[in-house]
Amino acid sequence: IKWCLVFRVLILLVSLCSLYFTLYYMLRCRCYCFLQGQVSKNKFTAFFVKNSVYWARGMLLLTFFLNIFMLATWEAPSYFWSILPDTPSYYNPVIYAVGALHLILSLFVAITFFIANLKNFTLPSAITYLAKKFTGKEDEDTGPSIEKHNELNIFGLATLYHIALVGFSAASLPLKGYFYCFHLLHIVVNNDTLTRVLQSVIRPGRQLIYVTILAIFIIYIYAVASFALLRIFFNRDDGLFCETLGQCYATSIRFGLLATLGDVIPGHSFTFQAAGLRTIFDLTFFIVITTIGLNIVFGLIVDSFSALRDEKNAALEDMSSVCFMCSIFSHEFEKHAKGFEHHVKNDHNMWAYLFYFIFLHRLEQNDMTSTEYYVFNKIKKQDIDFFPTNKALCLESIETGSEEQLDQLQEMVARLVHRIEREEDDERRKKARDEQRKWEKKAKQSMSGHRGSLRDTPDDVLRRGSSVAFRPSPSLPEAAHSSSGEDE
């Protein structure tokens, strides 16, 4: 027993000392390096961050082993009041050795989390608001930013969870591994499927709270009715307590949500009139609470899960069909370039852009070129105008060729329209000339006939008129007018 106590105390001291020196080194020696985001430059921080995946996986493997080992060796304690199980003689050495390694890995996981997010930690909004009011400083709202998106509350759920990882791992050593079951929840971290399952419950949290409050109020109404009318049917031996309104309410919540009050509360001693009222009571409780209430909760969770799934599918489709940098669809590169995969890996590699931004962040401003300084200022102002939106070098030749073809087509259309207009003008002139010639011909014929009639002598007129029997000889003006009429 003394050996076990000494071993436990030593493990706790080593863990506390390592945690103390780690925090001291982080906050005193290398705090400036962390706050500047230069984690990889420091060997201490790089050791934790680069191996973060191995710390998490190793902790999970040890957690599985410890829980399986506990399932195989735990037995009920000899004393009824004891919570510690009876274990074989080899249990304590194994649990201490593996538990110490588990504690170290849990500590590494927590340290990695704090190193990676040290720059993003913020105080709660209430404390920040009071501090601003006290100091009289008001920050201007510059809109959404990357820093605001990555902010973590120092008292948030993620922070408390990583602190609990170390605390429960340390507490499991003297308690024979009671809290190692908590570390099984770490399988959710960095698992997209399980994370979306949890988000489907957390996302409609406000609606679920409202529905729960409404259900609690409705059950309270039924508890009051049960206390007034059905109190005598509650049997203490069956766990049905209704001596006070509080007991009746607690019983109604417990059995009303697990089953229905109609199935739990016996009804063998009431009359037919009471049976009718009891039927109304049981059916309304079953419909309102068991059927409608629970289905509303399930519907909110299912709708939230469907929305998350649709968002993920839309994101995956966008990633597979649209370039992240230029926002051009993949079919353009498949048709006119070397393919979409070649484009996103060689032409517009988003990781190359990210590495370039990191390079600019680490580079001194005095050593920057004009282009680097321009991009650095754009990033600092959160301006993305320098991104090649709707532009790609591999498509410029296609666009230039298309423009040339369009210009040629427009020139051909213009020439064709000019030719058609010229032919129409020629046709119009030809038609006008033909009409002019016809008019001139008619005019000449008319003038020749009129001149011939004027050259006739009176004797010719009388001779031409004497050939017509019984026709009087016209005078000279009448003859001239008749001659001109015949010519017309």
Side-chain angles (χ1 to χ4, degrees), residues 436-473:
Q436 180 69 19
R437 290 171 182 173
K438 291 180 180 180
W439 181 82
E440 290 177 355
K441 185 177 181 180
K442 290 181 179 180
K444 289 179 179 180
Q445 292 177 357
S446 176
M447 292 297 295
S448 62
H450 182 66
R451 290 172 182 172
S453 61
L454 291 177
R455 285 195 299 267
D456 290 342
T457 60
D459 296 335
D460 295 333
V461 173
L462 292 175
R463 194 183 301 113
R464 191 169 48 249
S466 61
S467 61
V468 181
F470 306 105
R471 182 176 180 178
S473 300

Side-chain angles (χ1 to χ4, degrees), residues 77 117 191 240 252 340:
N117 298 281
N191 190 306
L240 302 175
S252 300
F340 182 70

